[in-house]
Amino acid sequence: MELASCTSRFPCATKLRPREPRLLTNPKRTFPKRKKSANLDTRSLHSRRSKSSMVVSARDGGGPEAGTATAVVTEKPMLGRFLVSRGYPAPFGATARDGGVNFAIYSANAVSATLCLISLSDLQDNKLTEQISLDPLTNKTGDVWHVFLKGDFIDMLYGYKFDGEFSPKDGNYYDSSRILLDPYAKAILSRGEFGALGTDGNCWPQMACMIPSFDDEFDWEGDLPLKYPQRDLIIYELHVRGFSRHESSGTEFPGTYLGVVEKLDHLKELGVNCLELMPCHEFNELEYFSYNSVLGDYKVNFWGYSTVNYFSPMIRYSSAGMHNCGRDAINEFKLLVREAHKRGIEVLMDVVFNHTAEGNENGPILSFRGIDNSVYYMLAPKGEFYNYSGCGNTFNCNNPVVRQFIVDCLRYWVTEMHVDGFRFDLASIMTRGSSLWDALNVYGKPIEGDLLTTGSPLSSPPLIDMISNDPILRGVKLIAEAWDTGGLYQVGTFPHWGIWSEWNGKYRDTVRQFIKGTNAFSGAFAECLCGSPNLYQEGGRKPWNSVNFVCAHDGFTLADLVTYNNKHNLSNGEDNNDGENHNNSWNCGQEGEFASISVKKLRKRQMHNFFLCLMVSQGVPMISMGDEYGHTKGGNNNTYCHDSYVNYMRWDKKEGSLPDFFRFCCLMTKFRRECESLGLDDFPTAERLQWHGHAPGVPDWSETSRFVAFTLIDSVKGEIYIAFNASHLPVTITLPERPGFRWEPLVDTSKPAPYDFLSSDVPEREVAVKQYAHFLDANLYPMLSYSSIILLLFPEENA
């Protein structure tokens, strides 16, 4: 059996925005040559038919692939005997039932199928334990192969072999020598430790699937979905390994699901009520494994946007690893969800249904490609892989079989793993027409003028329709990254059925431009503050359909956004050619961390401005991990390949030199939660919101304006005045007159901590407020350059 070598590498699959589209049919991408490792030992099976079943026992040689095996185990003791019967075509996957296990898998174009059983010990020794050939007459219904077994499954795993035509130009990659993963497998096992090489330094050792048992149980302790209205969410994007891997986390299980559980109270303190987990489906972190001469370490796939299996949690994110054949890893993920819910925190998953780890025609054959390549991938007429993902292949999402697979997968994570929703990476791919797209395939009849071809955007994509109207899935959070690398950009236009939200990339770009003082963005900035009605109101959507963010995992961190004008990605080993070039960042006068005191003060002020903007905007705010204390990646805006401090949450920084900004962030999230007007269910109208300029009621939307201010009526706080001065010049503003009331400062980002946020526990708070009395008595307030403020209205007698 051929296995890939870790001495060759997979070139990085850098995620790009639509401004840098890739070719639709994949260029020649160099994947590692797959070297032959030790020959796979096999034992075929001898069967004796009875009336309704077969008793299968191991023997030497024989079987359907005896001629292809290069080594045969003759003295290894037999592990067990299995009672084999026809089985059932549903449900897909391995299912414990009726005292045994039913196996069912779809493959329309294979001519033969073999169920492979592999003991846990044999997996480590690269051996096949037993195999059962499926009879196409008795073990196949339609295009589904199936078999039912009774016997001893302790420490037993499984996979499949399929045979058929190997003809890439026709879209077929059948190879009966390869053991393939069941797409519906609930756990995938290969290596137990993150970053550890396989036998003989192999980066792609044989993988196998967990066989479920009747003893698979988890105590949910009465856990139920929190079902927060989406308008009330404050999302935190988190990487499971990076969150607790650094030694300063002080966790017992660093870099694992349990490590996240140990640090959940930090998120509670921050005011977060929703986690968005970066990919936790099974992936191979050694996919890019290669020596990085710049840093003297090895590159890995740290982010995980390269899925091997969609039902399995990432086993090497668990402290248990392969123990108990992956069941303990599943339970650790469940524990994370349960404990998050106990703290009032929902859990969303970042899912990657746009491509898989199998890459293009030079990639490994792991699962989908060897089972039915032309079904699972979007192919050109001569078998080439469309590359709308920028990562070598494109999942054929709107194929009937594939879209049902995706729905089944999402349902599993909601019903079995209790997750609260999903963020769909490069979701625009899910709106593209599938291979062999035609109206008959979807609607049952031709449509006049229907000229859609493979990959064409669909106005009513069947997959999005299925998810949106599914009785289970329509009740969870559904967030689209509404673009792909093929040039399709759907922010504001993603097919939504009234329930889909979007990562609002236009919010990010506009806010960055305005806060750094770029002309001609005041009007667009005001739209962002209102929840982007220019994008969502006409389509009948609401502010909460916009997920607002300034920073995310890809791109600059918040601290780097105000420290670097240019990306500094040399440490990725790609000559600084990877990553986004258009960052809309500003270094505040000097490039890099070593800067003058005045520049550092301005950077800190800008970080406050960005976070304040995020918290006072209508829509759903999302915070990127580490931004709450000012994490830096040294100007690297594409840290996909670093399993190091670059991507690790630095708890020593949060507790040490940067506690002031964390305090500010906590107070701002608390303020947002307390304000009824900052999470509206609809776009604000003139009855609630009024715009102002340097003078009340006179907003300046001119090309040169860098000032935006507004008042907001709030049923809890009364009236709130919020202003942003993105100019390099200070300004004294005139406040709206409110007879019988007086404005009082709450937030001023130009002030040092703790006076940047005048919470009730600030020492000598009243003295600090009185310092502004002579301005406030005249209904004025002085604002420094690049600063923002929040004022509250109080009755005169209480001022």
Side-chain angles (χ1 to χ4, degrees):
M1 177 176 180
E2 293 183 343
L3 296 173
S5 168
C6 68
T7 57
S8 300
R9 74 178 181 93
F10 282 75
C12 69
T14 305
K15 294 187 62 188
L16 305 174
R17 294 189 191 141
R19 283 182 290 241
E20 300 180 12
R22 298 285 186 93
L23 293 176
L24 300 189
T25 53
N26 192 48
K28 292 296 182 181
R29 183 173 178 221
T30 304
F31 283 78
K33 294 181 180 178
R34 299 169 63 81
K35 73 175 183 181
K36 290 187 177 180
S37 61
N39 292 324
L40 185 67
D41 293 338
T42 62
R43 290 184 296 168
S44 58
L45 302 172
H46 175 66
S47 62
R48 298 192 304 271
R49 288 189 181 273
S50 64
K51 291 183 180 179
S52 60
S53 64
M54 296 183 293
V55 177
V56 181
S57 61
R59 68 174 177 84
D60 302 342
E65 295 192 53
T68 62
T70 57
V72 177
V73 175
T74 59
E75 297 182 357
K76 183 177 175 64
M78 183 175 61
L79 292 180
R81 303 170 73 90
F82 294 94
L83 185 68
V84 181
S85 58
R86 182 173 185 270
Y88 310 90
F92 288 159
T95 307
R97 56 173 294 175
D98 304 331
V101 177
N102 189 74
F103 299 86
I105 187 169
Y106 169 90
S107 181
N109 295 305
V111 298
S112 71
T114 302
L115 175 66
C116 302
L117 300 178
I118 310 168
S119 70
L120 194 57
S121 59
D122 278 352
L123 179 68
Q124 303 306 305
D125 294 335
N126 199 36
K127 296 177 181 178
L128 173 60
T129 308
E130 302 185 6
Q131 56 185 351
I132 301 171
S133 296
L134 305 188
D135 186 337
L137 296 179
T138 59
N139 297 113
K140 189 179 182 186
T141 303
D143 293 329
V144 181
W145 300 81
H146 49 80
V147 66
F148 181 79
L149 302 185
K150 287 187 177 182
D152 181 6
F153 292 103
I154 295 177
D155 287 341
M156 191 67 74
L157 310 171
Y158 79 101
Y160 289 96
K161 292 181 180 180
F162 288 97
D163 201 1
E165 183 183 30
F166 187 91
S167 178
K169 65 181 178 61
D170 296 318
N172 296 319
Y173 284 79
Y174 289 107
D175 182 348
S176 61
S177 69
R178 298 183 184 274
I179 300 176
L180 305 174
L181 301 175
D182 182 356
Y184 279 80
K186 305 308 185 292
I188 302 299
L189 285 78
S190 62
R191 298 173 291 106
E193 182 182 350
F194 191 95
L197 298 176
T199 305
D200 299 326
N202 193 352
C203 292
W204 287 94
Q206 179 61 52
M207 293 177 277
C209 312
M210 178 199 76
I211 297 178
S213 75
F214 293 97
D215 299 326
D216 297 348
E217 294 182 358
F218 178 77
D219 184 4
W220 282 103
E221 298 180 0
D223 178 69
L224 292 172
L226 297 173
K227 292 186 177 180
Y228 291 139
Q230 191 148 321
R231 66 177 181 271
D232 294 337
L233 295 184
I234 298 178
I235 299 175
Y236 186 92
E237 187 190 33
L238 179 147
H239 187 282
V240 168
R241 181 169 172 84
F243 190 60
S244 66
R245 186 67 184 90
H246 194 268
E247 59 185 10
S248 63
S249 72
T251 56
E252 183 179 356
F253 303 102
T256 66
Y257 301 122
L258 297 184
V260 176
V261 172
E262 293 180 71
K263 306 300 288 187
L264 282 174
D265 288 340
H266 163 77
L267 302 176
K268 188 72 174 177
E269 181 184 7
L270 179 58
V272 167
N273 62 4
C274 182
L275 283 181
E276 184 179 296
L277 301 178
M278 288 176 65
C280 289
H281 289 149
E282 183 67 22
F283 67 93
N284 183 4
E285 74 278 10
L286 300 180
E287 179 179 1
Y288 311 140
F289 192 78
S290 61
Y291 182 70
N292 186 346
S293 60
V294 179
L295 296 181
D297 61 5
Y298 289 86
K299 296 169 64 173
V300 300
N301 178 1
F302 186 77
W303 285 349
Y305 289 91
S306 192
T307 308
V308 168
N309 180 276
Y310 292 98
F311 280 82
S312 171
M314 176 58 170
I315 296 296
R316 291 172 300 287
Y317 280 172
S318 71
S319 65
M322 296 198 301
H323 184 263
N324 199 18
C325 291
R327 296 179 184 88
D328 290 351
I330 293 173
N331 286 343
E332 283 190 26
F333 184 93
K334 291 179 177 180
L335 179 68
L336 166 56
V337 175
R338 187 190 73 191
E339 294 306 304
H341 286 175
K342 284 182 179 180
R343 291 163 175 80
I345 300 173
E346 292 190 335
V347 178
L348 311 182
M349 292 186 69
D350 194 341
V351 292
V352 189
F353 287 111
N354 58 78
H355 76 284
T356 76
E358 292 183 303
N360 64 9
E361 64 274 7
N362 297 314
I365 300 175
L366 307 172
S367 179
F368 304 99
R369 174 167 296 151
I371 294 171
D372 224 327
N373 181 73
S374 61
V375 169
Y376 285 106
Y377 293 113
M378 199 179 292
L379 303 179
K382 293 184 179 180
E384 304 98 329
F385 289 85
Y386 280 86
N387 191 23
Y388 293 112
S389 68
C391 297
N393 63 54
T394 303
F395 214 45
N396 204 20
C397 295
N398 283 298
N399 177 282
V401 172
V402 181
R403 63 181 184 250
Q404 185 62 59
F405 165 79
I406 293 174
V407 169
D408 290 344
C409 178
L410 298 176
R411 280 185 160 199
Y412 171 80
W413 285 95
V414 172
T415 58
E416 181 65 24
M417 308 297 267
H418 287 208
V419 302
D420 302 284
F422 306 92
R423 178 263 187 187
F424 294 83
D425 183 67
L426 298 184
S428 289
I429 282 176
M430 302 195 304
T431 71
R432 292 184 179 271
S434 61
S435 296
L436 304 179
W437 173 269
D438 60 79
L440 282 171
N441 176 265
V442 178
Y443 305 110
K445 62 181 180 180
I447 297 176
E448 186 176 352
D450 181 22
L451 299 177
L452 292 175
T453 59
T454 300
S456 295
L458 308 175
S459 59
S460 297
L463 172 60
I464 306 301
D465 187 352
M466 285 181 67
I467 295 173
S468 303
N469 291 289
D470 185 86
I472 292 173
L473 299 178
R474 69 171 289 106
V476 304
K477 276 73 178 181
L478 301 170
I479 302 171
E481 183 184 39
W483 55 83
D484 63 27
T485 66
L488 185 55
Y489 193 77
Q490 296 176 307
V491 172
T493 62
F494 189 85
H496 56 80
W497 273 262
I499 59 177
W500 284 75
S501 299
E502 298 170 6
W503 262 28
N504 191 344
K506 292 183 178 180
Y507 176 97
R508 171 201 59 210
D509 297 342
T510 299
V511 168
R512 287 185 179 191
Q513 291 277 25
F514 178 81
I515 294 294
K516 75 171 184 171
T518 307
N519 282 338
F521 277 91
S522 59
F525 180 72
E527 295 272 13
C528 291
L529 293 170
C530 292
S532 301
N534 57 315
L535 297 177
Y536 301 110
Q537 192 168 32
E538 184 177 343
R541 287 195 276 182
K542 305 296 181 181
W544 52 263
N545 291 120
S546 172
V547 175
N548 303 327
F549 66 103
V550 175
C551 300
H553 67 274
D554 53 349
F556 281 147
T557 67
L558 184 58
D560 289 350
L561 186 65
V562 300
T563 305
Y564 299 93
N565 283 352
N566 304 302
K567 66 182 183 183
H568 294 263
N569 296 2
L570 285 174
S571 62
N572 296 349
E574 300 180 46
D575 297 326
N576 209 39
N577 291 319
D578 62 303
E580 178 59 62
N581 292 314
H582 308 92
N583 295 287
N584 297 320
S585 60
W586 179 44
N587 63 18
C588 298
Q590 291 178 268
E591 186 78 357
E593 294 187 50
F594 298 100
S596 66
I597 293 176
S598 60
V599 167
K600 287 184 176 181
K601 285 183 177 180
L602 178 55
R603 290 172 177 174
K604 197 170 186 178
R605 193 151 76 238
Q606 288 289 73
M607 289 173 63
H608 283 68
N609 294 334
F610 278 120
F611 199 87
L612 185 149
C613 172
L614 194 60
M615 289 301 127
V616 302
S617 298
Q618 300 297 329
V620 177
M622 186 187 79
I623 306 166
S624 184
M625 184 182 86
D627 279 350
E628 70 269 30
Y629 69 83
H631 182 75
T632 178
K633 297 181 180 179
N636 191 330
N637 70 357
N638 189 34
T639 59
Y640 72 97
C641 60
H642 298 289
D643 181 26
S644 69
Y645 67 91
V646 173
N647 282 316
Y648 294 166
M649 179 88 164
R650 292 291 302 272
W651 297 92
D652 52 339
K653 298 291 186 182
K654 177 242 174 177
E655 303 292 348
S657 60
L658 298 169
D660 294 344
F661 187 61
F662 178 67
R663 168 189 175 270
F664 180 82
C665 293
C666 293
L667 291 171
M668 280 304 309
T669 58
K670 182 174 182 287
F671 178 75
R672 178 181 175 88
R673 294 195 310 272
E674 292 174 347
C675 292
E676 164 268 341
S677 61
L678 293 181
L680 296 176
D681 199 38
D682 211 340
F683 298 100
T685 64
E687 295 178 353
R688 182 186 286 270
L689 184 147
Q690 286 187 322
W691 297 105
H692 308 288
H694 293 164
V698 189
D700 183 1
W701 308 122
S702 68
E703 290 278 315
T704 58
S705 173
R706 300 182 184 181
F707 184 87
V708 172
F710 62 98
T711 49
L712 202 59
I713 303 298
D714 189 272
S715 62
V716 177
K717 299 292 185 180
E719 190 171 4
I720 308 168
Y721 181 92
I722 301 173
F724 296 87
N725 179 27
S727 170
H728 63 287
L729 300 173
V731 62
T732 299
I733 58 175
T734 302
L735 302 172
E737 291 189 8
R738 299 293 186 260
F741 292 84
R742 173 190 177 92
W743 292 104
E744 184 174 300
L746 177 68
V747 177
D748 188 335
T749 62
S750 69
K751 305 301 178 187
Y755 305 106
D756 52 353
F757 197 115
L758 293 174
S759 56
S760 58
D761 60 347
V762 171
E764 301 180 346
R765 181 184 185 279
E766 296 302 319
V767 175
V769 172
K770 287 181 180 179
Q771 290 180 347
Y772 291 90
H774 57 294
F775 282 102
L776 296 173
D777 288 343
N779 226 37
L780 302 173
Y781 193 90
M783 292 186 68
L784 289 187
S785 61
Y786 303 109
S787 69
S788 48
I789 62 172
I790 299 177
L791 309 179
L792 298 179
L793 196 64
F794 290 92
E796 283 282 4
E797 59 269 22
N798 294 336

